[in-house]
Amino acid sequence: MTTFSDVGLSAELVRAVTDLGYESPTPIQEETLTFLDELPESLIALSQTGTGKTAAFALPLLHHLDVSENHVQALVLCPTRELCLQITDDFKNLAKYMDGTQVTAVYGGAPLHIQAKSLKRGSHIVVGTPGRVVDMIKRKALILDELQCFVLDEADEMLNMGFKDDLEFIFQATRKEKSTWLFSATMPSKVESIAKKYMKNAHRIATARRNEGASSVEHEYYLVKPNDRLEALKRVLDSIPDIYGVIFCRTRDETNVLASQLMGMGYPAEAINGSLTQQQRDRVMARFRKKQVTLLVATDVAARGIDVDDLTHVVNYAVPDDPEVYVHRSGRTGRAGKSGISIAIITRGELSRLKAIEKMTTKKFTYKKVPSIVDIGRLAVMSQVENFLGAELKGVSISGLLTDVHMALEDMTREELVEQLTKWLYQKAVRDRSDDRDLNLDPKSTRDKSKSGAKSERPGRRIDRERDEPGKFVRLDFNLGRKHHMNPARLMGIINEVMSNSSINFGRIDIMTHASSIDVEAKHAADVVGAMNGTQFGHQRIKVQKGSEALGTLSRPPKQGRKPKPGGRGKKGPGRQGRRR
Ligand code: AMP
């Protein structure tokens, strides 16, 4: 194993990396540490976050730094404030035994004059975001006449974020005789064209796509209908009690909606996206670091600033169109030698994107089944049993209470006691979970059993939203099912026909073998019952009665219907209007 001293790194830097717990250089560091004698004029490194790339450029830069020269010798540009602060910290940690080394961070969203002042005091290394660096150059607070090394970190992201003009400006402001290093996770044409324009005869390095950390990421997917995505997510989260992760959404709106849905259901989640002010973002990140919040719901851009190494999971709430984006996302976990899991909750329509990712990464996704409510209940009960066994009570006497409890339970056998405890724990664990459908689709089949719920892909748009208004609908149970050739359109049709009213709103419809249920606007329910009872449907006399409360289980004659799976075969829709037959 090559060590940091083997490659000739200065003693101060070797001490610092040892303090940080780094035992040996990562693959990208092995590459860049070959430049300790002389920095290459142009270096292009294809490298992802999590590969140790910060130290890969910081170590050779620091090794070459002349602390006695009081001017900016290295400028590092990066896309976000969070990354800027992280890189600055990394430099400071690595340079801690190099007395007098000054590292300054300049980034937007913080008072300009304070940063300008600290630049003017003198700095050897400046780490900055493009916009603020341009401001500092224009104000002559940042002088780059003696710059020796210019590093562009996450160049692809900087260009994606629209910093092209700023980058060009900064290139123009630096002297020609310098070393330019470009680090990028991907090499789209816009990065290549910058490289072509400003970097001649570049030395190129590409560490394996997947580094130590990333190769310890496992990829899993769950296949569900679009409308089941949220319920699937909840169950997946419930099945991973110690999850500390990021849930990726495509848009800011989606992160806000999903985060509030999760918070509303008691999950320790918060959104992080570009619409937050810097202060708000800092606060969210502080809570996340302290693990008061353990789920961040993020957009791809905002997630760039999440500098946390010990994420256990990354969740793709829908798979991104671009496989590269997926690679970025999954690279947020499994970092620095730890293992991680990248989860995708997908619909059939996204299977092809999954295939594209598999092709690009040569990694296979494992199909996983969304746990059932019983599975979740079991898990929760067992974890409670563990807590129960570990319970300790210090400094309180409970002897009196014990006598009372003994008396209350004295008639119970051990078996009865265990059973009652299990029932109680289970009930507590799944109390609010009325939706016990099997959400899983078969990845090998090309068709879904039911098309229900195929309408909305967006979190927050609930197909049953009208049903949520308490009392708006009443559930009616009919003695007609699939056996009688009943289907949702027919059921709405016969109601409309008998009622001579085609503007009744219907909610959810469940068609079982021998019976059906339909949610009807409450104001029409009694009339429907009165008008429909006793009328004929083919050879069948229709019997209709008010069911249990809307969305509850059906009350129907015992032999006639099997117990419906809520949402199983039935159709649901927001206040559909029946058409006349
Ligand atoms: P980066 O790719 O720079 O974001 O680094 C990812 C993580 O790897 C950071 O937490 C670093 O502290 C850590 N790291 C960097 N180099 C090494 C190394 N040689 N050995 C172990 N961990 C490292």
Side-chain angles (χ1 to χ4, degrees):
M1 183 177 73
T2 321
T3 65
F4 285 98
S5 9
D6 294 342
V7 294
L9 198 63
S10 71
E12 294 88 349
L13 289 171
V14 172
R15 251 179 97 190
V17 292
T18 311
D19 283 1
L20 288 168
Y22 303 174
E23 285 173 7
S24 59
T26 64
I28 184 134
Q29 291 163 4
E30 275 191 10
E31 295 270 1
T32 59
L33 289 172
T34 59
F35 307 129
L36 291 184
D37 289 339
E38 195 180 346
L39 299 180
E41 192 185 321
S42 293
L43 171 74
I44 296 179
L46 188 62
S47 170
Q48 294 165 26
T49 297
T51 53
K53 69 183 162 69
T54 313
F57 57 75
L59 288 172
L61 291 190
L62 288 169
H63 185 88
H64 280 268
L65 199 77
D66 185 348
V67 183
S68 64
E69 294 281 335
N70 193 18
H71 54 246
V72 177
Q73 294 168 45
L75 170 66
V76 180
L77 281 190
C78 60
T80 63
R81 170 191 193 266
E82 286 81 2
L83 191 58
C84 172
L85 289 171
Q86 191 193 333
I87 295 172
T88 307
D89 265 0
D90 287 351
F91 265 105
K92 286 181 178 164
N93 284 331
L94 291 169
K96 72 178 187 187
Y97 297 114
M98 294 173 55
D99 292 344
T101 307
Q102 291 300 328
V103 188
T104 307
V106 295
Y107 47 85
L112 201 138
H113 65 278
I114 298 178
Q115 293 175 357
K117 228 181 196 171
S118 82
L119 280 179
K120 282 184 177 154
R121 268 199 306 265
S123 223
H124 299 109
I125 294 161
V126 173
V127 185
T129 51
R132 185 53 64 99
V133 167
V134 168
D135 282 349
M136 293 296 184
I137 294 172
K138 286 184 177 163
R139 289 170 170 257
K140 302 210 177 337
L142 177 58
I143 313 285
L144 299 171
D145 297 348
E146 311 271 341
L147 187 72
Q148 304 197 347
C149 192
F150 180 31
V151 179
L152 293 100
D153 189 20
E154 304 207 350
D156 50 352
E157 250 342 277
M158 288 197 281
L159 292 169
N160 282 344
M161 290 167 75
F163 287 133
K164 181 166 182 290
D165 291 347
D166 289 342
L167 295 194
E168 301 251 8
F169 178 92
I170 299 165
F171 264 110
Q172 307 292 348
T174 57
R175 60 183 196 142
K176 279 217 159 53
E177 312 71 35
K178 65 179 180 303
S179 185
T180 305
W181 294 17
L182 182 149
F183 285 74
S184 197
T186 59
M187 275 295 155
S189 53
K190 37 190 177 183
V191 177
E192 285 292 356
S193 72
I194 283 273
K196 205 165 152 200
K197 191 160 168 191
Y198 295 105
M199 302 171 72
K200 300 284 169 255
N201 306 321
H203 180 99
R204 286 181 184 253
I205 51 176
T207 45
R209 280 211 80 78
R210 318 225 121 252
N211 58 18
E212 231 346 70
S215 68
S216 60
V217 177
E218 285 178 27
H219 304 263
E220 298 176 345
Y221 78 103
Y222 297 84
L223 186 63
V224 296
K225 289 186 213 151
N227 275 346
D228 287 338
R229 223 192 281 263
L230 179 61
E231 175 63 20
L233 174 67
K234 278 163 55 188
R235 293 196 201 173
V236 169
L237 295 178
D238 289 342
S239 68
I240 316 168
D242 297 326
I243 188 166
Y244 181 51
V246 179
I247 303 172
F248 283 94
C249 294
R250 284 168 301 187
T251 64
R252 292 172 184 187
D253 284 352
E254 282 186 4
T255 58
N256 288 333
V257 171
L258 183 60
S260 33
Q261 283 173 321
L262 290 174
M263 279 190 273
M265 293 177 292
Y267 294 89
E270 279 200 53
I272 185 151
N273 59 43
S275 57
L276 300 186
T277 64
Q278 197 55 56
Q279 259 187 344
Q280 288 170 322
R281 261 204 270 182
D282 288 347
R283 279 202 288 265
V284 174
M285 281 311 299
R287 284 194 286 272
F288 189 59
R289 266 190 214 101
K290 286 189 217 146
K291 303 204 174 160
Q292 292 160 341
V293 166
T294 50
L295 296 167
L296 279 187
V297 186
T299 53
D300 289 294
V301 172
R304 291 252 139 205
I306 302 172
D307 54 328
V308 174
D309 278 338
D310 52 347
L311 296 182
T312 60
H313 290 76
V314 157
V315 181
N316 293 265
Y317 195 63
V319 186
D321 294 327
D322 181 357
E324 296 277 4
V325 173
Y326 177 84
V327 171
H328 270 298
R329 289 181 177 184
S330 58
R332 314 289 321 179
T333 183
R335 297 175 69 172
K338 298 193 181 92
S339 62
I341 297 179
S342 175
I343 290 172
I345 299 181
I346 65 162
T347 62
R348 218 178 267 300
E350 289 162 48
L351 271 172
S352 58
R353 290 190 224 159
L354 214 68
K355 294 271 171 298
I357 295 167
E358 284 187 331
K359 206 166 151 200
M360 193 187 110
T361 58
T362 65
K363 289 269 168 192
K364 272 256 165 274
F365 278 84
T366 311
Y367 170 70
K368 299 268 288 185
K369 285 199 155 190
V370 179
S372 67
I373 297 296
V374 175
D375 295 335
I376 290 166
R378 183 178 300 127
L379 202 87
V381 169
M382 289 320 290
S383 115
Q384 288 301 317
V385 168
E386 255 176 51
N387 293 343
F388 168 76
L389 291 174
E392 278 181 37
L393 196 61
K394 285 189 185 132
V396 185
S397 165
I398 54 165
S399 53
L401 176 62
L402 259 182
T403 314
D404 292 348
V405 176
H406 265 298
M407 273 169 62
L409 303 179
E410 70 185 348
D411 291 339
M412 292 179 97
T413 63
R414 180 188 153 87
E415 281 68 34
E416 285 168 344
L417 198 61
V418 170
E419 188 182 333
Q420 194 56 29
L421 173 71
T422 308
K423 273 191 207 161
W424 181 68
L425 288 174
Y426 185 84
Q427 202 180 38
K428 266 177 40 155
V430 302
R431 189 174 29 207
D432 303 325
R433 312 301 290 265
S434 55
D435 183 355
D436 63 352
R437 290 168 302 134
D438 176 3
L439 306 181
N440 298 293
L441 300 183
D442 178 0
K444 293 196 188 83
S445 152
T446 49
R447 296 188 58 216
D448 300 347
K449 273 191 236 144
S450 155
K451 293 278 174 229
S452 78
K455 279 186 182 163
S456 170
E457 284 266 348
R458 300 180 45 200
R461 261 194 62 199
R462 297 194 46 185
I463 219 78
D464 290 20
R465 64 186 183 277
E466 300 215 23
R467 295 286 318 274
D468 290 343
E469 293 174 40
K472 174 146 192 190
F473 284 89
V474 164
R475 194 156 185 80
L476 300 184
D477 295 345
F478 281 74
N479 62 336
L480 301 164
R482 274 194 304 280
K483 262 231 137 128
H484 312 102
H485 308 289
M486 183 50 75
N487 63 37
R490 281 208 178 123
L491 189 53
M492 289 190 287
I494 58 170
I495 296 175
N496 285 327
E497 187 153 290
V498 173
M499 297 290 293
S500 309
N501 182 354
S502 59
S503 62
I504 298 176
N505 278 315
F506 300 113
R508 177 180 175 139
I509 303 174
D510 290 310
I511 309 287
M512 282 71 66
T513 314
H514 298 280
S516 310
S517 297
I518 182 165
D519 283 358
V520 173
E521 262 180 313
K523 59 183 174 194
H524 297 295
D527 291 345
V528 172
V529 173
M532 300 291 299
N533 254 324
T535 55
Q536 288 291 130
F537 180 73
H539 298 299
Q540 189 81 9
R541 254 170 94 81
I542 297 178
K543 280 194 200 147
V544 55
Q545 61 184 27
K546 264 197 183 179
S548 51
E549 70 183 67
L551 269 188
T553 44
L554 289 172
S555 52
R556 75 176 62 77
K559 269 202 228 149
Q560 274 195 323
R562 24 163 235 217
K563 197 169 186 271
K565 282 183 186 165
R569 286 272 194 165
K571 288 205 169 182
K572 43 186 184 173
R576 276 173 299 189
Q577 301 221 318
R579 262 173 278 122
R580 299 189 66 147
R581 276 195 309 169

